[in-house]
Amino acid sequence: MDGDWECLRADVRRTIDELIADGRESGVQVAAYLHGSPMLDVHAGSADRATGRALGGDTPIWSASTGKALTATVVHVLAERGELDYDLRIAEVWPEFGRHGKEWISLRHALTHTAGVPVLPADVTPEDFTDWDRMCAIVADSEPIAPPGAVSAYHAWTFGWLVGEVVRRVTGRRVSQVLAEDVAGPLGVADELYLAVPAADLDRLARVEDRNLSALFAFASANLPHFDRVAPAGVRPGAEIGGRADVLAAEVPATGTVTARALARMLAALIGEVDGVRLISPDRLRAATTPDGPSGPEWVFGQQTTWGLGYAVDDDGSFGAAGSGGSLGFAYPELGLTVAATKTLLAAGDGDPMEDLRVRIRDAVAARR
């Protein structure tokens, strides 16, 4: 396989080097697996421009909502074992959540962003994010914007506490612990896939910086009436919050800290076997990636969005997640392909180079079928 894809690897490397040279990027990782084996693992640039530390393939990077793929995967691994049911009513295991008419919201609604509870208080702070019980109490006391299943509304932050608290109540373990023990551990990447970074590993992380993502948030705040309700000014998912050690170490499972190669490996173990590990069955995979929820524009951004159970589902047959600033991780079951990318310079509005690379890798593999 090494020789088969050497030209593609060189092309990806050349593209990344050019992006770094012209200042559009500072540190980038791109990785892909094909039929359970590593196909591509390219990394270049800086992990920390202030110190000159180089970015390695094993350097984790805070990757915003791309981390939702990790949290969703935890759910499916537990469901595969019979420990969770997608149609579990959240209030059955978390009674406080049933306030204000939320007693019929299910785990399925949370996974498909149709629970109707995407909103956070306007004055929520990063310090609040470090207090799991406080954030769960806020979510439990929230009033829904719509009945369960009625409206697709991106639960940018609340997704993590909704799903994570169900996992904790059912298993007695935090979602980051389940990820480490039942997903990342068996795949040999427990030090590269995090929902909460251990204090001892914080110095290993890359440092994310803002290029122009904050400008996009300012535009969204001014032009999208629901944006600030979902991502209040103090906790927008950019470099400021993604650079805080206290938040990185906390359980905030709507986001994650990953390497591209570990994320590609995890996705590969969802669609097939990787070194003897397959995380879920083919039937479970189909259930997790079948579109679910209402049609029509999404409530926050006004765009058409298709969700499976915790993963975005694209028209090209892929499923996965993408994060503010340019990270992504997607799997193509029919191609046996997974692609992941993450980077340190968070940007928007000037094209999407990581998405372009994803498409380039996908097309190269599809052309050889």
Side-chain angles (χ1 to χ4, degrees):
M1 185 175 291
D2 281 352
D4 289 348
W5 300 106
E6 194 55 50
C7 288
L8 177 63
R9 281 194 288 268
D11 181 41
V12 171
R13 163 70 72 173
R14 182 169 52 251
T15 300
I16 291 172
D17 287 344
E18 290 171 355
L19 289 166
I20 292 172
D22 69 15
R24 288 184 64 190
E25 303 294 352
S26 61
V28 175
Q29 298 172 344
V30 179
Y33 270 63
L34 185 62
H35 303 307
S37 296
M39 167 192 171
L40 181 151
D41 182 6
V42 178
H43 50 88
S46 296
D48 186 339
R49 291 197 290 187
T51 65
R53 179 163 54 99
L55 181 72
D58 61 349
T59 307
I61 305 174
W62 181 78
S63 300
S65 286
T66 299
K68 289 182 173 68
L70 279 59
T71 301
T73 298
V74 165
V75 170
H76 299 309
V77 168
L78 292 172
E80 183 77 15
R81 298 175 181 174
E83 295 184 50
L84 272 182
D85 187 284
Y86 303 129
D87 294 311
L88 170 73
R89 288 192 302 112
I90 293 175
E92 288 183 32
V93 295
W94 182 5
E96 306 94 316
F97 180 77
R99 302 171 191 151
H100 308 303
K102 301 196 301 297
E103 63 271 18
W104 294 105
I105 296 173
S106 69
L107 178 58
R108 181 184 298 275
H109 293 132
L111 291 167
T112 57
H113 296 264
T114 61
V117 286
V119 174
L120 287 175
D123 60 353
V124 71
T125 67
E127 290 77 15
D128 292 329
F129 276 21
T130 68
D131 186 335
W132 180 265
D133 291 338
R134 173 166 173 73
M135 292 311 305
C136 287
I138 287 172
V139 173
D141 199 42
S142 64
E143 297 188 13
I145 62 167
V151 173
S152 176
Y154 187 52
H155 288 47
W157 288 117
T158 58
F159 176 93
W161 296 296
L162 281 169
V163 176
E165 183 65 356
V166 170
V167 168
R168 190 185 72 83
R169 298 265 177 152
V170 170
T171 69
R173 294 184 290 165
R174 292 189 178 275
V175 65
S176 63
Q177 182 182 357
V178 182
L179 176 76
E181 295 175 351
D182 299 355
V183 178
L187 290 169
V189 291
D191 58 349
E192 296 184 28
L193 287 179
Y194 297 116
L195 289 170
V197 182
D201 289 336
L202 287 169
D203 288 344
R204 296 178 48 232
L205 307 186
R207 186 170 69 90
V208 293
E209 300 177 72
D210 180 65
R211 182 170 177 241
N212 60 6
L213 183 61
S214 59
L216 175 67
F217 290 153
F219 176 86
S221 175
N223 291 275
L224 299 176
H226 305 307
F227 180 79
D228 283 346
R229 298 182 66 191
V230 171
V235 292
R236 289 176 183 164
E240 184 172 349
I241 198 165
R244 291 183 56 134
D246 57 347
V247 174
L248 290 165
E251 201 96 2
V252 187
T255 65
T257 302
V258 306
T259 66
R261 69 185 191 183
L263 180 56
R265 185 173 177 84
M266 183 196 80
L267 293 167
L270 286 171
I271 65 173
E273 190 172 294
V274 177
D275 293 333
V277 176
R278 178 156 192 171
L279 294 173
I280 59 176
S281 67
D283 286 345
R284 178 76 52 190
L285 177 67
R286 281 189 289 273
T289 60
T290 298
D292 202 324
S295 59
E298 186 270 334
W299 184 77
V300 183
F301 297 100
Q303 299 175 337
Q304 191 71 39
T305 305
T306 304
W307 290 98
L309 298 180
Y311 308 118
V313 179
D314 280 2
D315 292 340
D316 64 0
S318 67
F319 71 90
S324 297
S327 62
L328 58 85
F330 282 88
Y332 298 84
E334 291 188 4
L335 296 177
L337 172 69
T338 67
V339 181
T342 187
K343 61 202 194 79
T344 60
L345 198 55
L346 307 184
D350 59 347
D352 191 341
M354 298 304 104
E355 176 64 14
D356 292 344
L357 287 171
R358 168 168 88 109
V359 170
R360 193 180 308 177
I361 295 165
R362 177 202 69 193
D363 289 350
V365 172
R368 295 210 189 177
R369 292 189 71 190

